[in-house]
Each structure stands twice: as structure tokens, then as C-alpha cells.
Amino acid sequence: MNTFALRSMAALIALSASTFAAAQEDSFPAEERARLRDQAAALKQQARTQQEAARIARDEGYAACWQRTLVSSCIEDTDEAYRRSVGEARKLEIQASDIERDMRTRAAEVRRAEKQRAAEARRDKSIEMSVKTREQEAQRAQDAAARADKDAEMAAQAEARERAQAERDAAQAAKRKREDARAAERAADQRRKAAKIDERVQRREEERARREAEAAAKEATKDAKETTETGAKP
């Protein structure tokens, strides 16, 4: 059952309970209780007054009967009048008892309604707490999902940053490798050029040494020839 359904049910239960309790209370308001209580008390008082009056009338009738000739008949008439008067008083007492019994019945119904209202209130509170608990659980689940999404997003961003950094590092490494290769190639070119220069210098030196050797040999040959010619003259 979803949260909306629970709230709707709780509202309906609370409404029905309050309506029922209000109807019970309205069916026996305090003003009517007071009126019926006063009415029952008045009937009881009227019955007591009538019973007391009946006893006085009976006693006075008894006293008067002893002054008459037909005493028995007079006493019977007096007793009959007393019984009628007491019977009328008894009817008033019964009427008062009926009113009090009806008051007790209606008061019991009100108490039952109050107990039912209290039970309904406890049930409504329980449903409200259940709804609140479910809402809290749903909120916690939503918060957890939001945190998980945020963590996943942050992890994806960190992975993307690491991947971008790795790509930049790879590009820089490749660039350095190319630069190192070009530097090595330039160094090799310089070494080749230096070797060629050294080779040319060496050839020039060898050529110069050869020419100097040849010149020295020619000079030596010339000197030897001149010495020979000088020694042959007389």
C-alpha cells in the first residue's frame, strides 16, 4: 500500500471515528442530562411527598374511623385510599427509575463511544506513525540512491580525469620520445659531419706530410748531387 493510500485510509478512519463520537455525544448532551436528572429527582421527591401524605391521611383516617360506628368499613376505605395514593407514588418512582435507567444506558453508550474514539485515535496514531515510518524509509532510500548516484558520478569524473591525465602523459611521453629521437638523429648527424671533417683534415695532413716528404727527398737528392759534383772537380 502506498503512502497516499495509507494517508487516505487514516483520514477516513479519523473522520468516521470523530463523526461517530460526535453523534454519540450529541445524542445525549449535557443540557439534556441535567434536565433528565432534575426531572427524576423531582419525581422522586413528589413520590416521597405523596407517600408521606398518604401515611398521614391513613393515620388520620384510622383515628377518625374509631370514632364511627362502622369501624371496619371505614378502615378498609382508608386502606384503599392509602393503597391508591401509594400506588400513584410508586408510579412516580418507577417513572423516575426509568428516566435514571435511560440516563445510565445513554451514559454507557457515550462511554463506549469515548472508548471507541480513544481506540480509533490510537489506531489512527499507529497508522500515522506507520505512514511516517514508511515516508522516512522512502526518504532514506531516496537519499541513499542520491548518494550512490553522486558517488558514481564522482567516480566517473575521477576516472575521466585519470584517463585524460593518462592520455596527456602518453602524449607527452610520445612527444619526448620523438624529441629524443630527433636529438639522437641530430647528434648522429653531427658525429657523421665531425667524422667527415676529421677525415678531410687527416687527408690534408697526410697530403701535406707527403708533399713535405717528397720535397725533403728532392732537397736531399739535390744536395747529394751537388756534393758529388763538387768532389769530382780538380
Side-chain angles (χ1 to χ4, degrees):
M1 185 177 294
N2 56 33
T3 302
F4 177 76
L6 284 173
R7 286 184 173 178
S8 300
M9 183 176 69
L12 289 173
I13 290 173
L15 178 61
S16 61
S18 61
T19 302
F20 177 78
Q24 291 294 326
E25 290 181 353
D26 292 340
S27 65
F28 197 25
E31 294 81 0
E32 187 176 359
R33 294 185 191 185
R35 181 181 62 78
L36 291 175
R37 188 164 47 246
D38 293 343
Q39 184 179 355
L43 289 172
K44 286 183 177 181
Q45 182 60 41
Q46 185 179 352
R48 285 192 295 269
T49 301
Q50 189 167 340
Q51 288 173 351
E52 183 63 23
R55 281 193 296 272
I56 294 173
R58 182 191 60 183
D59 293 341
E60 290 177 351
Y62 282 168
C65 285
W66 290 111
Q67 304 298 323
R68 296 182 182 181
T69 303
L70 299 176
V71 176
S72 298
S73 176
C74 179
I75 290 174
E76 289 178 358
D77 292 341
T78 300
D79 287 340
E80 179 63 25
Y82 174 75
R83 285 193 295 272
R84 286 197 300 271
S85 182
V86 170
E88 293 296 329
R90 180 57 182 163
K91 289 179 181 179
L92 294 175
E93 289 179 342
I94 293 172
Q95 185 177 356
S97 297
D98 290 341
I99 291 174
E100 290 176 340
R101 184 172 56 255
D102 181 63
M103 289 177 62
R104 289 193 296 272
T105 300
R106 296 174 69 179
E109 291 177 351
V110 170
R111 287 194 296 273
R112 284 195 297 273
E114 291 176 350
K115 290 181 180 179
Q116 181 175 356
R117 182 177 60 204
E120 294 291 346
R122 288 193 296 273
R123 184 172 64 179
D124 294 345
K125 185 66 175 179
S126 177
I127 292 175
E128 181 181 356
M129 292 299 295
S130 178
V131 170
K132 186 178 294 184
T133 300
R134 294 193 180 186
E135 288 179 344
Q136 292 174 348
E137 291 176 351
Q139 185 62 44
R140 285 194 293 270
Q142 184 177 354
D143 294 342
R147 287 194 298 271
D149 292 341
K150 186 176 181 179
D151 292 342
E153 182 180 359
M154 292 179 66
Q157 291 176 354
E159 183 179 357
R161 287 194 297 271
E162 291 177 357
R163 186 167 54 250
Q165 184 63 42
E167 291 175 355
R168 287 193 296 270
D169 292 342
Q172 291 177 356
K175 182 179 179 181
R176 285 194 298 270
K177 187 176 181 180
R178 289 192 300 270
E179 290 176 351
D180 292 342
R182 286 195 293 268
E185 185 177 355
R186 287 194 298 270
D189 290 341
Q190 290 175 357
R191 286 195 297 272
R192 287 192 296 271
K193 290 178 181 179
K196 290 180 180 179
I197 292 172
D198 293 342
E199 184 180 357
R200 287 196 298 269
V201 170
Q202 185 177 1
R203 284 198 299 268
R204 284 197 298 268
E205 289 294 329
E206 290 175 353
E207 183 64 23
R208 183 176 62 79
R210 186 182 62 76
R211 286 195 300 268
E212 289 178 352
E214 289 178 353
K218 287 181 179 181
E219 187 65 27
T221 302
K222 180 179 178 181
D223 291 341
K225 184 178 179 181
E226 288 178 353
T227 300
T228 301
E229 288 177 354
T230 301
K233 290 180 179 183

